[in-house]
Amino acid sequence: MDEKTIELITKLALEAMEKQQAEKRGYLVPVGVSARHVHLTQEHVEILFGAGHTLQPKKALMGGQFAAEECVTIVGLKLRAIENVRVLGPCRKQSQVEVSATDALKLGVKAPIRESGKLAGSAPIAIVGPCGAVYLKEGCIIAMRHIHMSPKDAEAAGVKDGDIVSVRADNERATIFDKVLIRVNESFTLEMHVDTDEANACKIKTGDTVRIL
């Protein structure tokens, strides 16, 4: 074997080792699997659940949010529906429905993949409660996979709010998630959110950890 070949093999081996070590050093992030849910304005809460009604907290979530006791039915095209969809509080300025791609197929809606709150041009959907119904001309999305971080975590990971990163799940399916949005806020707890479709396909569950590459 000549000297140039030996140098090339050595270089490739070193690059492979450096890549492997970089992946091992990647910032660890716990996973939270996010099921379908609804955010509502106070106006829509009262239409769905009655005048003067306020959402009743069931379970505290990060950032001052909570899973509410209230659930609704969401209805897509051709009256295809999914029942018992959890409402999250507190109320927002605009109502929004977040579903998985499988849910969107079942409902018959063309929900785009979006960051939460980016609703312009998103899919129409109806929301039905015990006291009334609301029709949203736009508001149904598939949530873009994302990582919640505090500023301290963001600094440690070397990222900032709005960055897009790749993340690796080191399990038997060894999946790499691209286009993962970084969201930074003082109220956030470190957690990557994926929907049920992504979690099931990659065999990850709430409490598992992944690495930012």
Side-chain angles (χ1 to χ4, degrees):
M1 190 178 295
D2 60 47
E3 187 174 339
K4 287 186 177 180
T5 302
I6 293 172
E7 287 179 357
L8 177 60
I9 292 172
T10 302
K11 180 181 178 181
L12 291 173
L14 288 172
E15 287 177 351
M17 288 174 62
E18 287 175 0
K19 183 179 179 181
Q20 187 178 42
Q21 289 171 356
E23 288 183 355
K24 288 181 178 179
R25 290 194 300 268
Y27 200 75
L28 278 175
V29 179
V31 171
V33 179
S34 181
R36 65 182 78 100
H37 59 271
V38 173
H39 299 279
L40 297 171
T41 64
Q42 180 58 37
E43 178 188 1
H44 288 166
V45 167
E46 296 192 41
I47 291 173
L48 296 170
F49 298 100
H53 187 90
T54 57
L55 295 176
Q56 302 302 302
K58 177 182 177 69
K59 179 182 177 182
L61 304 173
M62 75 171 69
Q65 294 191 80
F66 59 86
E69 294 284 356
E70 291 81 0
C71 291
V72 295
T73 297
I74 54 176
V75 185
L77 302 180
K78 299 180 181 179
L79 299 181
R80 298 176 185 176
I82 298 176
E83 299 179 336
N84 297 316
V85 180
R86 184 71 57 186
V87 177
L88 301 190
C91 290
R92 292 194 175 186
K93 294 180 180 179
Q94 190 172 3
S95 292
Q96 169 181 314
V97 177
E98 296 183 31
V99 297
S100 69
T102 298
D103 292 336
L105 287 173
K106 180 176 180 179
L107 292 165
V109 298
K110 295 182 179 179
I113 298 173
R114 293 282 180 81
E115 179 183 354
S116 180
K118 307 294 185 181
L119 304 179
S122 57
I125 196 160
I127 306 171
V128 180
C131 296
V134 171
Y135 176 73
L136 304 181
K137 291 183 179 179
E138 55 186 19
C140 183
I141 65 169
I142 299 168
M144 181 180 184
R145 59 180 77 112
H146 56 278
I147 298 174
H148 290 280
M149 285 185 162
S150 67
K152 182 179 179 180
D153 285 317
E155 182 178 2
V159 296
K160 62 183 184 302
D161 187 58
D163 280 355
I164 303 294
V165 299
S166 294
V167 172
R168 180 181 177 88
D170 287 312
N171 59 12
E172 58 189 315
R173 284 232 148 145
T175 304
I176 293 179
F177 296 92
D178 290 324
K179 297 183 179 179
V180 182
L181 174 68
I182 298 294
R183 298 178 62 186
V184 181
N185 189 285
E186 285 284 0
S187 65
F188 287 164
T189 302
L190 182 64
E191 192 168 66
M192 175 178 170
H193 284 176
V194 295
D195 65 30
T196 50
D197 281 357
E198 294 170 313
N200 291 337
C202 304
K203 292 200 72 174
I204 56 177
K205 61 186 185 300
T206 295
D208 288 350
T209 55
V210 293
R211 294 178 184 272
I212 298 177
L213 300 182

